[in-house]
Amino acid sequence: MSEQTGAPLSFPTEFYDAYIFDMDGTIYLGDELLPGVARMINELRDRNIPVRFLSNNPTKDPQQYVQKLTKLGLPTDISDIANTVVTMTKWLSENHPQAVVYPIAEEPLVRSLSEAGIRISEDPAEIDFVIASYDRTFEYKKLQIAFDAIWYHKRAKLIATNPDRYCPFPGGRGEPDCAAIIAAIEACTQTKCEMVIGKPNPQMLVEAIAGLDVDPEHCIMVGDRLGTDIQMAVRTGMVSAMPLTGDSTWRQAVALDKKDQPTFLLDRADRLIPQTVWDERGWNENNW
C-alpha cells in the first residue's frame, strides 16, 4: 500500500531486456539521488542489463548529464544518455540539413546545432524553423523575431524540443518550461506547433535503444510523468513504470483509460527489482 495514496501499487516480477529511465523526478531530485536508485542501477548493471537515461531538459548536453550522474555516484558513459538536444539536432540534420533555424533556447542546444553545421539566423526573412525550447533568457525581442518569421513573412514553422509545462524542483517548486514558450508564440501568431521532438515523441525511445540488440516490447520505460514518459511508452507499445516520486500522482494515473495507464505503479524506483531479489539481498526500505 502506498502511504501517499492509500491505494495498491504494482511491481514487476521479472527483469527486462533494457531499462530506459527518465532522470528528473525518477533518478534524482535536484542534487540528490532518490531512495534506492543507486542499488537498483548497480543491480541491473551487475546483471549486464542495458541502462539508458532520457531527459526532456534541453538546458544540459549529454556530457553534463554524464558529469551529474557520475557525481551522484552513478558512473555513466555518454552513449547511455539521450536528450532533446541530441534528438532535435539529429532530426534536423537528417531531415532538413539545409534549413535555417532560430532557436529560442539555451547554450547547449545552440552549440549542438552549430557544431552539426545547421545554420542559425535572427533574420526573420530567412528562417525556416523557429525552435521553441526551455529558455531562461526568453525576452520580447526573441518573441518578435519568432512572430515576424512565422506571421509576417509566413515562412517559418514552429517546432519544439519538449512539451513540459514546468521543470520540477525540490520542495515542490518548479520553473516554467518549454510549453510556456510554445504558448506565447502560438498566441501571437495564431499558428500551432507542428512538431515536438522530445517525449512523448517515440523518436526519443528509438534514440535511447539505438544499437542495443533488444526487443522493444520487452524493454521498460520508467518515468514520473504521465503525459511524457508514460505516453511515449504507450505510443511505442513498451512496458512502462511510474514511480510516485515526481510529477504525476496515483490518482491521475488510475483516472486515465486503461490503455494509457502505466503498466506498473511504484512507490519508489527500486521496486523495479523483483521481490525475490530484495529477499536474497536482504533489502528493505531503510537500508538503501
Side-chain angles (χ1 to χ4, degrees):
M1 303 290 283
S2 164
E3 294 179 0
Q4 179 179 349
T5 63
L9 303 175
S10 53
F11 310 137
T13 58
E14 62 176 334
F15 285 100
Y16 289 86
D17 293 344
Y19 288 71
I20 302 95
F21 291 95
D22 170 57
M23 287 185 274
D24 298 317
T26 301
I27 294 295
Y28 55 73
L29 199 57
D31 291 321
E32 292 187 7
L33 288 179
L34 285 162
V37 164
R39 68 182 180 187
M40 171 188 66
I41 298 297
N42 289 334
E43 181 71 31
L44 295 173
R45 287 174 169 171
D46 286 346
R47 292 172 179 267
N48 294 316
I49 297 175
V51 172
R52 296 292 183 266
F53 299 101
L54 212 57
S55 178
N56 261 3
N57 187 340
T59 66
K60 293 183 174 67
D61 60 29
Q63 185 58 46
Q64 289 172 294
Y65 279 114
V66 166
Q67 292 169 354
K68 177 163 187 171
L69 290 169
T70 300
K71 184 178 180 181
L72 290 175
L74 298 176
T76 301
D77 293 332
I78 198 165
S79 60
D80 295 340
I81 306 289
N83 79 330
T84 49
V85 169
V86 174
T87 310
M88 176 61 78
T89 303
K90 187 170 183 178
W91 181 81
L92 284 166
S93 297
E94 292 179 351
N95 295 281
H96 302 279
Q98 304 304 317
V100 178
V101 304
Y102 177 59
I104 300 177
E106 298 194 8
E107 193 269 342
L109 179 58
V110 175
R111 182 178 67 247
S112 179
L113 294 170
S114 296
E115 290 176 351
I118 296 169
R119 188 170 165 232
I120 295 172
S121 175
E122 294 187 353
D123 181 356
E126 62 177 8
I127 295 169
D128 298 306
F129 291 102
V130 172
I131 305 173
S133 189
Y134 185 168
D135 185 359
R136 290 165 292 188
T137 65
F138 185 55
E139 59 182 354
Y140 197 84
K141 176 185 176 182
K142 294 183 177 183
L143 183 60
Q144 184 71 60
I145 293 171
F147 177 80
D148 288 343
I150 296 169
W151 182 85
Y152 179 72
H153 290 284
K154 294 181 172 47
R155 174 187 177 89
K157 296 178 180 180
L158 176 62
I159 60 176
T161 54
N162 58 296
D164 302 78
R165 295 180 296 108
Y166 71 95
C167 181
F169 286 174
R173 295 184 60 82
E175 201 167 63
D177 205 327
C178 185
I181 311 297
I182 296 171
I185 297 171
E186 288 183 336
C188 64
T189 61
Q190 294 187 307
T191 58
K192 291 293 183 181
C193 182
E194 297 195 15
M195 172 176 284
V196 179
I197 204 69
K199 298 179 290 185
N201 190 324
Q203 183 67 25
M204 288 287 284
L205 273 181
V206 172
E207 291 297 322
I209 63 174
L212 297 178
D213 184 19
V214 295
D215 179 356
E217 292 186 1
H218 205 255
C219 299
I220 185 167
M221 174 67 213
V222 187
D224 66 301
R225 291 193 170 194
L226 289 166
T228 53
D229 304 310
I230 305 306
Q231 186 55 225
M232 180 175 59
V234 168
R235 291 183 184 183
T236 56
M238 190 176 286
V239 175
S240 62
M242 189 181 87
L244 300 175
T245 51
D247 182 56
S248 298
T249 67
W250 179 89
R251 294 188 186 281
Q252 290 171 333
V254 298
L256 295 173
D257 289 341
K258 188 69 176 176
K259 64 180 177 61
D260 294 320
Q261 293 180 15
T263 312
F264 302 105
L265 283 164
L266 321 172
D267 54 345
R268 43 194 284 156
D270 56 352
R271 291 293 185 188
L272 288 165
I273 304 299
Q275 184 63 44
T276 53
V277 177
W278 277 59
D279 296 340
E280 291 170 6
R281 301 283 186 266
W283 289 1
N284 62 54
E285 294 187 353
N286 298 317
N287 68 359
W288 54 272

